[in-house]
Amino acid sequence: MNSPGDISPNKAMSALRLCSPRLLPPNPHLHRHYLSSLSSSPFSSSSLRSRSLAPFKKLPRSCLGSQPVLGMEVLRLLKPNNFFRHFWTRGSLDKNKTLVEHLQQYGVLKTDKVTEVMETIDRGLFVPHGSAPYVDSPMSIGYNATISAPHMHATCLELLKDNLQPGMRALDVGSGTGYLTACFALMVGPQGRSVGIEHIPELVAASIENVKRSAAAQLLKDGSLSLHVADGRFGWREEAPYDAIHVGAAASEIPQALLEQLKPGGRMVIPVGDFFQDLQVVAKKPDGSITIHNETSVRYVPLTSRSAQLQNY
């Protein structure tokens, strides 16, 4: 992973040359290792105000996407340092709040409820020590796994918000450090259930400690939030059916077990594909029939077995 000062103009231009329909998904929601290989630096409103997007107007529309976030990613490559100088002088919750404000400003966060939850659950508690938690980028959490970029967490929460009402049940497949599971728990509340499953035992142990330090600690203590070691491809039948299911890794096809554990009227968000992937929104109608639509192009690590994930680790 690059440090804030590692991005040279030549490297930034090399990254921009990747912007073609065949090499870059036609949407700003690039994910996990894809973005982290380019830059670990964030966007900032100050850098956006002081720069023009004119040099990038000739880029193909498939590169620019339909939202302004990719423009932010381009600017992050060129001017990373202002954001870091601004952020590392402030308290943790202030940094988290400022990140959320940026996601609001650029249209990723759309509703008050999701915004409130992302402000309340401090992302800084859910990344490894020494990482930069308030950067809009995925980052490594060890074991060939990553925590998603904040804009992807925001996107998934917005897509699932109607199925994360108080008293509902949510399943987070590939829960990693526990961040999104904690967000789900705040949304469904003490009468609901938020279940995280992850097949790396060390990550599950660490995620429990992360949640204990967060605003979701009481929900973990009371049992409405739980984290388990399990193969995500088979879900977690003990608390099924679920109103909302989030899958944090890409499946070649939607696992049948997850479809079965989705409640009629429920919704699942899952990346599907191999190299070229789409974030699919799966809805189960009251009669049990399934509808699917593609929300955006993404790039996730694969949903696979523990042994395959740890190969060469």
Side-chain angles (χ1 to χ4, degrees):
M1 182 175 294
N2 297 308
S3 65
D6 282 345
I7 304 302
S8 67
N10 287 340
K11 185 169 183 180
M13 291 302 103
S14 296
L16 290 175
R17 283 195 290 270
L18 293 176
C19 293
S20 71
R22 286 183 291 180
L23 294 179
L24 188 65
N27 194 279
H29 300 307
L30 309 179
H31 197 61
R32 295 185 180 254
H33 295 301
Y34 199 93
L35 276 183
S36 63
S37 67
L38 296 179
S39 172
S40 62
S41 58
F43 58 84
S44 70
S45 57
S46 60
S47 65
L48 284 170
R49 293 192 195 99
S50 63
R51 291 180 176 272
S52 169
L53 284 175
F56 310 113
K57 287 182 178 178
K58 294 183 180 180
L59 290 173
R61 185 155 186 84
S62 59
C63 171
L64 291 174
S66 59
Q67 301 181 41
V69 182
L70 183 57
M72 293 188 279
E73 299 296 345
V74 169
L75 290 173
R76 297 194 315 168
L77 294 172
L78 300 176
K79 189 66 174 176
N81 290 327
N82 287 347
F83 189 90
F84 277 86
R85 284 196 294 267
H86 174 63
F87 260 24
W88 299 124
T89 59
R90 305 177 61 183
S92 177
L93 288 176
D94 282 347
K95 299 172 196 173
N96 191 70
K97 181 176 175 60
T98 302
L99 172 62
V100 171
E101 289 171 352
H102 280 295
L103 294 174
Q104 279 185 291
Q105 181 178 354
Y106 294 104
V108 184
L109 281 171
K110 301 177 175 66
T111 60
D112 291 343
K113 181 61 176 178
V114 175
T115 300
E116 178 185 351
V117 166
M118 289 192 69
E119 285 182 349
T120 304
I121 299 296
D122 183 3
R123 181 178 163 91
L125 300 175
F126 292 86
V127 302
H129 180 72
S131 300
Y134 309 109
V135 174
D136 188 30
S137 175
M139 56 190 63
S140 173
I141 57 174
Y143 308 97
N144 289 329
T146 57
I147 182 172
S148 300
H151 71 261
M152 281 308 304
H153 281 150
T155 296
C156 292
L157 286 168
E158 290 285 357
L159 289 170
L160 291 171
K161 65 182 184 300
D162 292 338
N163 297 86
L164 293 169
Q165 297 299 314
M168 290 185 173
R169 292 175 178 251
L171 175 65
D172 184 19
V173 176
S175 52
T177 64
Y179 174 80
L180 206 57
T181 314
C183 290
F184 289 170
L186 285 194
M187 295 183 77
V188 302
Q191 302 306 314
R193 290 291 182 272
S194 177
V195 179
I197 55 174
E198 166 63 56
H199 61 191
I200 305 297
E202 293 86 350
L203 286 177
V204 173
S207 68
I208 291 172
E209 295 306 312
N210 295 339
V211 172
K212 286 179 179 178
R213 297 193 299 270
S214 77
Q218 187 62 45
L219 297 170
L220 177 68
K221 182 178 180 180
D222 294 345
S224 57
L225 187 166
S226 60
L227 295 144
H228 308 275
V229 178
D231 189 324
R233 296 171 295 179
F234 303 106
W236 187 257
R237 295 188 182 277
E238 284 83 342
E239 297 287 354
Y242 299 98
D243 299 277
I245 297 177
H246 166 266
V247 183
S252 296
E253 58 184 25
I254 300 171
Q256 183 62 33
L258 297 182
L259 289 173
E260 293 171 357
Q261 292 173 41
L262 187 64
K263 185 178 181 179
R267 174 176 275 204
M268 172 165 49
V269 174
I270 178 172
V272 178
D274 296 314
F275 185 82
F276 295 102
Q277 302 167 3
D278 292 303
L279 188 66
Q280 295 190 345
V281 180
V282 181
K284 182 180 279 191
K285 296 183 178 180
D287 64 3
S289 61
I290 298 292
T291 63
I292 301 172
H293 80 261
N294 292 341
E295 177 68 21
T296 183
S297 297
V298 290
R299 187 71 177 146
Y300 279 69
V301 296
L303 182 66
T304 186
S305 67
R306 183 193 311 173
S307 59
Q309 180 174 324
L310 294 177
Q311 188 174 8
N312 300 322
Y313 178 70

